[in-house]
Amino acid sequence: GYQLVVSEASCKFKRPIELTHEITCELSFLPVRATSFDIFYVFRNIETGDIHAEGNTRMVLFNGNTGRPMAIPDWFTDKYLK
């Protein structure tokens, strides 16, 4: 089967979030190589539009049987990375 592994992660905090704030998390995906992709995150205050944090995660797809990186399948690329 497939295994997704986090190979890198980062987050830049821009301003505090208070318990009364309603926050949304916007996601975007970007292919990097045949075996990996990035997920970008933006945490935004729904009322003001202020950005509270931005981050990204590099994901690598592995073959669960061999433990080796494998190419991202076309169905995944078509659904999430285009």
Side-chain angles (χ1 to χ4, degrees), residues 23-49:
I23 302 296
T24 185
C25 179
E26 303 165 2
L27 298 174
S28 58
F29 298 85
L30 179 69
V32 177
R33 294 192 170 86
T35 61
S36 64
F37 60 94
D38 284 346
I39 305 172
F40 294 94
Y41 311 87
V42 176
F43 294 88
R44 188 182 304 273
N45 185 304
I46 292 174
E47 185 178 325
T48 65

